[in-house]
Amino acid sequence: MSLVVAVDIGGTQIRAAVYEPNNPSPLNLKRVRSFALQPGVFDRLVKAIESVWPAEPVAAIGFSSPGPLDPYKGIILATPNIPEWTNFPVRAMLSERFGVPVHIDNDANLAGLAEWKYGAARGHHDVLYLTISTGVGGGVIIDDRLLQGYHGLAAELGHMTIDPSGPLCGCGHHGHVESFCSGPSIARHVNEQLAAGAESTLHADPNLSGQQVADAALQGDALARAAFAQAGEYLGIGVANYLAILDPSIIVFGGGVSQVGDLLFKPFEASLKKHILHPRYLEGLVITRAALRDDAGLLGARALAELKTDSVKITS
Ligand SMILES: [Zn+2]
């Protein structure tokens, strides 16, 4: 197998890298700002890829982007992070420009794929990956295959309804896992409690961040601790639902909010035990943190390109 080029685009950064088979380190890696709210994102993307493009033959490009997107048609449907890309045929455009097959999927799915191939879930066949940061995203591996679904929209785990009368989610619906557990959701809950007269070392502030709430909680602030306890309680309900559907052998938590540790995970584990259909789901279940951090999307794009290239060779 020849080289693959992996690309990860987000609201702030474009990363492009060249990988050879069986070498964990990239032969070349470039990070540039994406300036995703300004015009010309695709041109910046092409330049970043050109800057790493090797002299040797490239088998495929693997591409990671925020979703929702259609991985089968290679179209970004709409992403708030990159407003210019609505129904944007990124696969066809990259394939035409670089003359190689392009495989795309969303960043959370590919981070899950990367953890399965190179990270915390190596050796597991059934993997639930959850990233909790400004949003809540998921990636699922079942029987060593990435779950994509009929439309390519599977594993939007942050947008499972757990309380229809719950807070408004970023997607416009109410009471999704994300609307209780993301960093901004935790901060919003604290602001609501402060407005209602709760006592705290924190002050009502529309720019309050999940990290500030975490810092206050670590200092012993009761309101901040209660906010994480509530997030953990709802996360446990969501994960009990995921387990009932997927029954994985490992859950991998990524994203900044997961870094708070026991503040979130003690109440999470208590809630999971309370809401799980049967204790059998939890026997031998590994619950752990992501191993790959920042480059998970890039490594997932690499894994996708290599897997697709291999499968073409096997079947043709
Ligand atoms: Zn939602």
Side-chain angles (χ1 to χ4, degrees), residues 7 31 65 109 121 148 165 180 184 227 238 284 313:
V7 185
R31 294 185 181 90
S65 164
N109 279 358
Q148 291 183 300
S165 55
F180 289 104
K313 282 192 178 152

Side-chain angles (χ1 to χ4, degrees), residues 158-160 168-179:
H159 301 286
M160 174 182 270
L168 187 65
C169 187
C171 69
H173 294 278
H174 281 271
H176 284 177
V177 172
E178 177 173 306
S179 73

Side-chain angles (χ1 to χ4, degrees), residues 182-187 207-216 228 257 260:
S182 71
S185 301
I186 292 168
N207 297 317
L208 185 69
S209 69
Q211 184 60 52
Q212 287 170 298
V213 180
D215 292 342
F228 276 98
V257 176
V260 302

Side-chain angles (χ1 to χ4, degrees), residues 35-106:
F35 297 108
L37 300 177
Q38 297 168 27
V41 177
F42 186 75
D43 293 340
R44 290 190 281 285
L45 174 67
V46 166
K47 281 207 182 90
I49 298 172
E50 281 173 346
S51 73
V52 299
W53 198 263
E56 300 80 18
V58 170
I61 295 173
F63 184 75
S64 164
S65 164
L69 54 79
D70 182 334
Y72 308 131
K73 293 191 170 135
I75 293 170
I76 313 288
L77 300 176
T79 169
N81 290 334
I82 313 171
E84 198 177 50
W85 287 8
T86 299
N87 295 320
F88 188 75
V90 70
R91 182 175 71 192
M93 290 176 70
L94 284 178
S95 189
E96 188 177 320
R97 174 66 189 74
F98 291 97
V100 299
V102 178
H103 306 288
I104 83 169
D105 212 323
N106 78 57

Side-chain angles (χ1 to χ4, degrees), residues 111 115 128-137 251-259 264-265 288-293 296:
E115 291 291 341
L128 169 58
Y129 170 81
L130 266 179
T131 173
I132 311 176
S133 58
T134 52
V136 175
I251 306 174
V252 180
F253 283 102
V257 176
S258 317
Q259 302 298 319
L264 182 71
F265 287 107
T288 190
R289 301 267 187 82
L292 300 175
R293 311 276 169 115

